[in-house]
Amino acid sequence: MPAGHGVRSRTRDLFSRPFRKKGYIPLTTYLRTYKIGDYVDVKVNGAVHKGMPHKFYHGRTGRVWNVTKRAIGVEINKQVGNRIIRKRIHVRVEHVLPSRCTEDFRLRKKKNDQLKAEAKARGETISTKRQPEGPKPGFMVEGATLETVTPIPYDVVNDLKGGY
Amino acid sequence: MVYVKTQKTKAYFKRYQVKFKRRRQGKTDYRARIRLINQDKNKYNTPKYRFVVRFTNKDIIAQIISASIAGDLVLAAAYAHELPRYGLEVGLTNYAAAYCTGLLLARRVLKMLEMDEEYEGNVEATGEDFSVEPTESRRPFRALLDVGLVRTTTGNRVFGCLKGALDGGLDIPHSDKRFAGFSKDDKQLDAEVHRKYIFGGHVASYMRMLMEDEPEKYQTHFSEYIKRGIEPDDMEGLYKKVHAAIRADPTMVKSAKEPPKEHKRYNLRKLTYEERKAKLIDRLNALNARAQDDADEDEDDDE
């Protein structure tokens, strides 16, 4: 019999729950709130069968475009042939995690706002742009002893001792 | 020792998955909890309150709780051990006391939210099924009953507490199937019987029965009632007064507690990270000092 290509084909390991984490899922997944425009990761929870996305979307990150009673609409990029389509899927909250991809950006934004406010209070302008890592600075080598290495003259007797 | 074949091998423990902590303690029913807490996502941060009723051996705890990721937040709480303040000193875990506790919690919450004038609820406790009607200005305070791990049979005290909260003016979705006095044959709630339970009528009739048949048992079983001079006929009047007192002043009174005493320590206190590092540095310094001394001595000896 040929292999089928059903919706959940080849997901035996992908959708299985991790070792010693089976059974009831912790309640924070239900208590989180999502707003339109948030970035979320799609990670399928095999314990909940309703509102499961297709296996393609497992591990993708997208933005929230709709919030319903028990599910969230997520807009994810999918490459189809020679173009990328923005696909809109609805996923139950158990299969969604808040994404940390923008966390670094948000923290930096907050810190920069704070720095700018402080600088304004002092009356000076600062640049909050990120600089790429430059080349390492030069340094003097301390406590190095010099050892001159010269080649020894070719010794026929020693070299042929191995066997000839 | 006789060799006993180990049943639980190391492999067993390696593969064992523990249940959630509160399930291991047997305190939380997660199946029910998930369904009580789950809020519609398109209601965002609107709290979903649950009306929690728990019975211990000597007390009744009624709370209004909303869930959060950091931990549940209690909006208001009422305990049966507060009822002496309103004039009820004995029988603090019976159906009538549960009704009083629910009523106290409801009035307390409504007063806290300044809705107590709008939603009087059912002032006359008749035992009939009563649901709050929404007024024009604000919708009633809605909570969902959380019984915990109790078996919900007809006439359970949990539903007495529920009835108290309903008559106090809270909006709790319910049916009258489990109130005391609901007969399965008629499929109807007998309001008279329910009213009897709310005013401790079932306790009073037991008291009367014991007084006639077994006076000694009456003396031992109802000793606290006798000490306070409560007769079976007084019960209804007593509970009516308690209900009125609750409606008059439901605010919570915090009892002043003295700070806990310092106890003698019988085992060594665990050191903090800084203390342990400091100890290590001291040991190394001592070792280096001693090594230095030995090296000096050796040098001296050599010389």
Side-chain angles (χ1 to χ4, degrees):
Chain A
M1 267 187 67
H5 300 291
V7 169
R8 285 184 63 169
S9 74
R10 305 169 194 167
T11 59
R12 177 179 183 169
D13 291 324
L14 188 65
F15 286 177
S16 62
R17 299 286 289 135
F19 181 56
R20 288 196 301 160
K21 294 224 163 73
K22 301 203 209 302
Y24 277 108
I25 62 183
L27 295 215
T28 48
T29 42
Y30 296 101
L31 290 172
R32 288 219 167 87
T33 54
Y34 298 97
K35 299 218 292 285
I36 295 181
D38 286 351
Y39 283 93
V40 291
D41 300 336
V42 173
K43 185 169 170 226
V44 172
N45 187 322
V48 179
H49 301 145
K50 290 193 167 187
M52 242 194 217
H54 185 259
K55 65 174 186 284
F56 168 80
Y57 300 104
H58 180 89
R60 309 280 160 172
T61 307
R63 304 187 63 185
V64 177
W65 65 276
N66 186 19
V67 175
T68 67
K69 208 160 98 147
R70 299 267 182 254
I72 292 179
V74 188
E75 200 174 51
I76 296 182
N77 292 337
K78 180 176 187 181
Q79 180 176 7
V80 180
N82 61 346
R83 67 205 189 282
I84 297 183
I85 302 182
R86 290 211 300 264
K87 300 213 64 159
R88 297 187 150 190
I89 56 171
H90 280 99
V91 179
R92 263 197 174 220
V93 295
E94 293 92 330
H95 309 292
V96 151
L97 296 171
S99 182
R100 292 183 61 186
C101 59
T102 46
E103 180 181 318
D104 177 49
F105 170 63
R106 267 186 276 124
L107 286 175
R108 192 165 57 87
K109 216 166 61 157
K110 225 168 47 170
K111 200 164 63 104
N112 285 347
D113 288 342
Q114 202 192 22
L115 288 175
K116 283 201 199 142
E118 285 172 12
K120 193 157 171 196
R122 284 199 303 263
E124 54 191 53
T125 48
I126 51 164
S127 162
T128 52
K129 284 183 191 281
R130 293 173 293 176
Q131 293 295 335
E133 245 181 72
K136 285 199 284 259
F139 57 96
M140 292 294 284
V141 178
E142 303 279 325
T145 52
L146 285 182
E147 186 187 327
T148 313
V149 177
T150 51
I152 51 173
Y154 184 62
D155 196 353
V156 181
V157 180
N158 269 342
D159 286 332
L160 291 178
K161 238 193 245 170
Y164 64 102
Chain B
M1 234 194 82
V2 182
Y3 175 71
V4 181
K5 185 171 159 128
T6 46
Q7 290 283 65
K8 291 185 187 167
T9 60
K10 195 158 158 213
Y12 165 82
F13 288 111
K14 278 191 170 194
R15 297 197 62 85
Y16 186 75
Q17 178 186 340
V18 288
K19 298 182 162 60
F20 290 160
K21 179 172 75 159
R22 287 217 114 210
R23 169 64 190 89
R24 275 179 275 139
Q25 295 169 347
K27 289 187 181 175
T28 304
D29 173 6
Y30 278 97
R31 181 175 195 273
R33 188 175 155 82
I34 287 178
R35 283 155 178 77
L36 278 170
I37 282 176
N38 206 354
Q39 174 70 289
D40 297 351
K41 291 293 154 239
N42 44 11
K43 293 188 186 161
Y44 298 101
N45 279 321
T46 317
K48 201 165 193 180
Y49 295 106
R50 40 191 192 109
F51 172 61
V52 169
V53 184
R54 299 284 186 270
F55 286 86
T56 70
N57 280 341
K58 294 188 202 165
D59 199 1
I60 308 176
I61 303 168
Q63 295 166 314
I64 302 270
I65 302 184
S66 70
S68 84
I69 295 182
D72 287 359
L73 298 165
V74 177
L75 186 66
Y79 298 86
H81 63 68
E82 296 178 42
L83 292 177
R85 197 177 135 223
Y86 298 98
L88 181 68
E89 286 167 353
V90 278
L92 291 179
T93 54
N94 60 25
Y95 198 97
Y99 180 91
C100 294
T101 312
L103 178 66
L104 176 58
L105 178 65
R107 295 314 297 166
R108 195 168 272 174
V109 163
L110 290 176
K111 185 153 188 156
M112 194 192 296
L113 299 170
E114 288 157 28
M115 293 208 285
D116 52 348
E117 261 97 63
E118 274 177 74
Y119 288 104
E120 290 282 330
N122 202 2
V123 187
E124 277 275 328
T126 51
E128 281 175 356
D129 194 11
F130 171 81
S131 298
V132 194
E133 319 257 301
T135 60
E136 291 90 42
S137 44
R138 284 167 81 160
R139 279 179 296 131
F141 184 84
R142 193 183 183 93
L144 306 175
L145 178 65
D146 180 348
V147 289
L149 293 159
V150 155
R151 185 75 185 89
T152 50
T153 52
T154 320
N156 197 315
R157 294 172 290 169
V158 163
F159 300 108
C161 205
L162 171 66
K163 186 79 178 106
L166 291 170
D167 286 353
L170 296 186
D171 177 19
I172 303 176
H174 66 284
S175 94
D176 53 1
K177 185 165 124 176
R178 291 296 178 199
F179 287 136
F182 184 86
S183 69
K184 252 191 344 189
D185 316 316
D186 283 358
K187 299 246 190 314
Q188 272 234 343
L189 174 66
D190 190 346
E192 272 303 308
V193 175
H194 197 200
R195 187 182 178 286
K196 199 166 80 107
Y197 270 78
I198 290 175
F199 286 106
H202 56 306
V203 179
S205 46
Y206 186 51
M207 278 167 93
R208 286 191 197 100
M209 192 191 83
L210 279 188
M211 277 202 293
E212 288 216 15
D213 300 337
E214 290 173 74
E216 301 93 41
K217 189 161 172 204
Y218 173 71
Q219 293 293 327
T220 54
H221 197 95
F222 286 105
S223 59
E224 292 288 314
Y225 282 77
I226 295 169
K227 212 175 1 174
R228 287 172 177 79
I230 298 178
E231 297 282 308
D233 305 320
D234 300 338
M235 300 278 272
E236 187 161 324
L238 171 70
Y239 282 112
K240 270 215 177 75
K241 271 207 285 247
V242 174
H243 295 165
I246 288 176
R247 277 181 185 271
D249 180 26
T251 51
M252 186 159 205
V253 168
K254 272 202 165 286
S255 58
K257 273 197 275 209
E258 7 171 296
K261 288 193 306 201
E262 288 278 321
H263 290 284
K264 177 178 163 211
R265 240 206 119 79
Y266 291 101
N267 51 2
L268 292 173
R269 191 167 51 90
K270 272 173 95 165
L271 301 176
T272 66
Y273 181 76
E274 284 97 23
E275 287 174 1
R276 272 182 270 141
K277 281 278 169 296
K279 252 180 100 170
L280 180 65
I281 292 173
D282 290 340
R283 280 217 328 257
L284 285 175
N285 281 340
L287 206 68
N288 281 341
R290 218 168 332 114
Q292 192 70 349
D293 291 341
D294 287 346
D296 290 343
E297 277 179 22
D298 289 341
E299 277 182 25
D300 293 336
D301 290 342
D302 286 340
E303 284 171 18

